[in-house]
Amino acid sequence: MHTPLCRPLHLAFLFLLTLPAAAELPAISTLTLTVDANAPGKPISTDLVGVFFEDINYSADGGLYAELIQNRSFEYSPLARREWTNFTAWELAPRGGRGELDVDGAFPLHPNNPHYAVLSVRDAGEVALINDGFDGITLRAGENYRLSFFARRLYAGGRWDGQKSASPLPLLARLETRDGTILAEQTFSINGDIWVKLSATLTPTADAPAARLVLIARERGGLALDEVSLFPAKTFRDRPNGLRADLAQTIADLRPRFIRFPGGCLVHGDGIPNFYRWQDTIGPVEQRRQQPNLWGYHQTVGLGYFEYFQFCEDIGAHPLPVVPAGVSCQNSGHTGGTGQQCLPLAEMDAYIQDVLDLIEWANGPATSTWGAKRAAAGHPAPFGLKYLGVGNEDNITPGFRERFELIQRAVQTRHPGIVVIGTVGPAPDGEDFERGWRLADELRVPMIDEHYYKTPSWFWDNLARYDAYDRSRAKVYAGEYAAHDDKRRSTLRAALAEAAHLTALERNGDVVTLASYAPLLAKRGHTQWSPDLIYFDNSNVYPTLSYEVQRLFGNNAVATILPSTLHGIPLDLAFSTARDTTGDLILKLVNGASTPRSLRIELAGFTRTSAPATLAVLAHPDANIVNEDGRPPAATTRTETIAVSPAFEHDLPAHSLSIIRIPHTP
Ligand code: AHR
């Protein structure tokens, strides 16, 4: 895809790449990579490879968040999607009885959760309220599922009978297949005239790819129901209100050094009222304030800040929350780029306090006001927040500048240890990019967030992008990037362009300190943006070839770049030569050519005449391949042991990423 002849020369620190005149280009077999294996090297960021999680493509509700009931608290609304109502995903089905389903708000469970369902039975006989989950509820035989809901008896008997009856009302909860086969059931008795939480463990007797939860009332009366929830008992690390184990494990397998969340455009929202406000996402789930998702659906925020931070801790990743910079998305309100709204300056003090409260919530002692809320949620120890994103891809307008500066100054004054990450607009160049960088220089912002969704050839052509970055300016977080190939498919060509890019980021890891592919997750049938790193449905996870590249880099993270020289520079070969924190020597080599390459590798200062090394290779002769759902991956990483010496020949297959790891011996 890329045009090999236009790739610029690398001039990174400690690198000597000598480009002979075209006429003198050596035969392919004479390529020599010389590595100064004993040099102290250049220390780089050990947090480089991370992930960026945004609730796009049904990544949270219906995705990573393990809740199986859709619209569990009857808060869906046409503000999120035109055709949605409080009963989206729910259905009333008379089964012998006659009844009604209403939405009400007179006795809300909590002001943040204003609506609930009223299920009434007029003529005794079964009346069922059915939830279809997110495209059906996937159940496994013998596994435990925790059902819970809040209920309140409104009246027993007829609604207008004129006097209160003390009789309890029965409610039968069932897991059923779509054709009505009962998989598990439990009867409850609703006694009180106040909200009570009821729960049970249900164990299905058979596997079901698309089951339903059926709540059956059968006696005359009226019941209020809210926050109807069904969770697999097995969540990731068995966390209550936790994450889908297989998806979370797939992310953990990347060994990301950080997780950026909760967005993206989701953060600055569709207008000021739609800002993602972190403090609305903590505490009991039935008390969290839900809202429409800028990506056209609903956020329960059941996966909220506590759950994000807990996940980070569980997988050893730094949390990197992003807060709005006091302005909304410039695309707010269907304006196509002219809709940035600025929070009134009179409200900025309170807003800044919210940001400072986040830091106290994450890092403060359990005795502090916000640290106490973290402790009450089950985490008395601080989470150790280090990075804080302020803004995302905002237009760098005067309104933005003013608000960003207020937030940045307050955070840096009160919490000088926090690394504020600013934004330089949506593109890797252009007006916002230039203005954003100027602002970062003026305010001495410690790190800025660059984004690029570009063709594979752009990545190859820009391998030297950071070689020339001024090391005295802000550090860079490559917060969103992905190679967009033809038809935006996750081809091997795209994955290798990203691999080449990552070698360049490693070589420049003194200035580029964090990097994350975007977006991370996409649910089949609800994908709004392509390509994504990991696709999934209710039962399966489908990692892409780009995922495999990220996994290989995450599992071969480095800490020190070693000087190296590639004689006879080919224009579609990218490399990094480094040591990890344990001293292992790691060579990463990306061959973007459609022909194999033979390379002589000289390890200056390496004295062992023959040493074992591991070689991991991701390769395929056809760069157009993509992983297909339900089929074996189009290319897998082959691992073998090889022998290395102070000078050895090594073949790079066509279209390949090769990683040679030579264990450190003291
Ligand atoms: O990653 C998808 C979107 O791309 C993000 O929300 C936004 O920051 C960017 O435009």
Side-chain angles (χ1 to χ4, degrees):
M1 249 310 187
H2 60 282
T3 40
L5 288 178
C6 60
R7 183 174 138 206
L9 183 65
H10 297 194
L11 285 174
F13 171 73
L14 288 177
F15 276 80
L16 292 169
L17 300 179
T18 45
L19 180 64
E24 311 163 17
L25 276 177
I28 273 174
S29 59
T30 63
L31 280 172
T32 300
L33 176 67
T34 306
V35 186
D36 189 349
N38 271 352
K42 171 176 71 171
I44 62 157
S45 163
T46 48
D47 292 338
L48 183 63
V49 182
V51 296
F52 161 45
F53 178 91
E54 175 165 31
D55 186 6
I56 182 174
N57 307 314
Y58 276 55
S59 295
D61 294 304
L64 184 60
Y65 184 48
E67 174 64 80
L68 293 166
I69 302 300
Q70 184 171 193
N71 191 13
R72 66 183 176 189
S73 46
F74 307 99
E75 297 299 336
Y76 274 25
S77 92
L79 279 178
R81 192 169 292 182
R82 193 176 44 227
E83 66 276 18
W84 277 2
T85 71
N86 299 87
F87 292 122
T88 295
W90 292 97
E91 174 198 342
L92 180 71
R95 292 183 172 181
R98 196 162 64 89
E100 282 155 18
L101 180 63
D102 292 292
V103 61
D104 210 331
F107 305 111
L109 193 50
H110 188 273
N112 285 342
N113 187 357
H115 303 103
Y116 55 88
V118 175
L119 180 62
S120 341
V121 178
R122 289 242 188 147
D123 297 333
E126 291 193 348
V127 176
L129 177 60
I130 302 173
N131 189 279
D132 202 31
F134 294 90
D135 308 329
I137 299 173
T138 301
L139 300 172
R140 294 197 205 290
E143 298 278 335
N144 290 334
Y145 294 84
R146 305 223 192 286
L147 171 70
S148 65
F149 59 93
F150 285 81
R152 175 181 176 132
R153 190 192 50 192
L154 298 171
Y155 60 92
R159 186 185 299 177
W160 306 108
D161 284 357
Q163 61 190 39
K164 281 199 168 181
S165 156
S167 317
L169 289 174
L171 186 75
L172 176 65
R174 272 189 187 150
L175 296 173
E176 287 183 1
T177 61
R178 283 205 170 133
D179 64 7
T181 307
I182 299 167
L183 301 167
E185 63 180 12
Q186 173 78 40
T187 303
F188 298 89
S189 183
I190 319 297
N191 289 312
D193 294 334
I194 51 161
W195 287 106
V196 255
K197 185 173 183 180
L198 298 152
S199 53
T201 298
L202 301 177
T203 310
T205 48
D207 284 348
R212 313 187 312 167
L213 174 71
V214 184
L215 300 174
I216 301 170
R218 56 162 69 105
E219 286 188 14
R220 292 176 71 228
L223 285 174
L225 298 166
D226 207 351
E227 205 69 19
V228 183
S229 171
L230 182 73
F231 259 82
K234 274 191 199 159
T235 55
F236 185 67
R237 303 279 163 92
D238 297 326
R239 298 282 175 208
N241 192 45
L243 307 182
R244 194 175 130 176
D246 56 350
L247 266 179
Q249 188 59 53
T250 307
I251 297 169
D253 289 345
L254 292 165
R255 296 190 59 199
R257 299 307 189 272
F258 66 89
I259 304 179
R260 174 183 182 231
F261 57 84
C265 293
L266 179 98
V267 169
H268 53 184
D270 186 13
I272 289 170
N274 193 233
F275 275 5
Y276 191 101
R277 304 260 188 174
W278 76 272
Q279 66 280 44
D280 290 340
T281 76
I282 59 167
V285 286
E286 68 278 6
Q287 297 180 11
R288 298 183 187 180
R289 196 178 67 84
Q290 309 176 39
Q291 62 170 345
N293 179 325
L294 167 137
W295 293 105
Y297 53 104
H298 182 87
Q299 306 174 72
T300 64
V301 295
L303 170 49
Y305 261 46
F306 184 84
E307 292 74 24
Y308 282 123
F309 274 73
Q310 184 64 68
F311 184 40
C312 289
E313 184 174 88
D314 283 345
I315 66 172
H318 290 288
L320 195 170
V322 185
V323 295
V327 301
S328 74
C329 181
Q330 51 267 27
N331 301 319
S332 294
H334 302 93
T335 53
T338 56
Q340 183 184 77
Q341 298 171 0
C342 298
L343 199 63
L345 284 173
E347 292 175 35
M348 278 305 289
D349 280 352
Y351 180 70
I352 288 167
Q353 190 55 51
D354 288 348
V355 177
L356 297 173
D357 290 345
L358 167 61
I359 299 169
E360 182 176 294
W361 177 83
N363 288 355
T367 48
S368 62
T369 309
W370 286 91
K373 293 183 197 290
R374 182 196 66 236
H379 202 287
F383 275 119
L385 177 68
K386 172 176 166 192
Y387 300 113
L388 178 68
V390 178
N392 170 70
E393 291 196 356
D394 300 290
N395 280 162
I396 313 297
T397 57
F400 168 86
R401 289 172 58 100
E402 196 170 10
R403 285 154 187 78
F404 178 86
E405 184 174 357
L406 290 170
I407 302 167
Q408 131 104 359
R409 199 186 307 132
V411 172
Q412 298 292 235
T413 307
R414 294 280 298 278
H415 300 281
I418 295 286
V419 179
V420 169
I421 306 177
T423 178
V424 290
D429 45 33
E431 226 171 78
D432 287 314
F433 182 82
E434 298 300 335
R435 287 192 189 138
W437 264 105
R438 275 200 297 276
L439 183 63
D441 287 343
E442 265 171 48
L443 303 181
R444 305 295 303 163
V445 179
M447 197 183 293
I448 55 81
D449 177 15
E450 294 190 352
H451 294 177
Y452 24 87
Y453 298 98
K454 295 286 188 180
T455 60
S457 53
W458 183 92
F459 282 88
W460 282 98
D461 293 346
N462 284 275
L463 290 180
R465 177 181 176 90
Y466 296 110
D467 293 358
Y469 264 45
D470 179 347
R471 268 56 185 168
S472 68
R473 298 176 84 189
K475 303 277 186 214
V476 175
Y477 168 31
E480 296 181 26
Y481 69 87
H484 284 185
D485 205 349
D486 186 33
K487 302 201 179 91
R488 291 175 72 153
R489 294 170 314 132
S490 301
T491 59
L492 179 61
R493 182 185 302 103
L496 292 178
E498 290 147 8
H501 178 60
L502 279 164
T503 62
L505 299 189
E506 283 185 349
R507 287 190 295 95
N508 287 285
D510 54 330
V511 63
V512 184
T513 48
L514 309 169
S516 46
Y517 180 102
L520 179 64
L521 296 180
K523 186 165 193 173
R524 288 296 184 207
H526 301 277
T527 299
Q528 302 159 304
W529 178 292
S530 300
D532 304 281
L533 200 64
I534 302 164
Y535 293 88
F536 64 93
D537 56 28
N538 282 347
S539 328
N540 299 294
V541 181
Y542 309 111
T544 58
L545 293 166
S546 292
Y547 171 89
E548 188 57 7
V549 163
Q550 296 288 326
R551 193 185 68 79
L552 287 167
F553 275 79
N555 283 272
N556 290 284
V558 292
T560 312
I561 293 293
L562 297 175
S564 48
T565 310
L566 183 62
H567 300 281
I569 181 175
L571 298 154
D572 37 19
L573 185 68
F575 64 95
S576 68
T577 55
R579 286 194 187 276
D580 72 1
T581 48
T582 69
D584 284 5
L585 179 55
I586 298 176
L587 312 179
K588 299 194 177 90
L589 303 150
V590 186
N591 182 14
S594 54
T595 50
R597 280 220 163 84
S598 182
L599 193 64
R600 180 177 167 77
I601 298 176
E602 294 180 356
L603 304 176
F606 187 77
T607 49
R608 283 176 287 159
T609 47
S610 177
T614 10
L615 168 68
V617 187
L618 177 69
H620 197 280
D622 181 3
N624 284 309
I625 55 164
V626 293
N627 285 350
E628 308 274 1
D629 293 1
R631 305 191 55 186
T636 49
T637 300
R638 177 174 56 80
T639 310
E640 61 181 284
T641 303
I642 58 168
V644 298
S645 58
F648 62 102
E649 301 290 326
H650 186 74
D651 292 335
L652 304 177
H655 305 304
S656 63
L657 162 64
S658 304
I659 301 181
I660 300 173
R661 177 187 278 268
I662 307 168
H664 173 64
T665 47

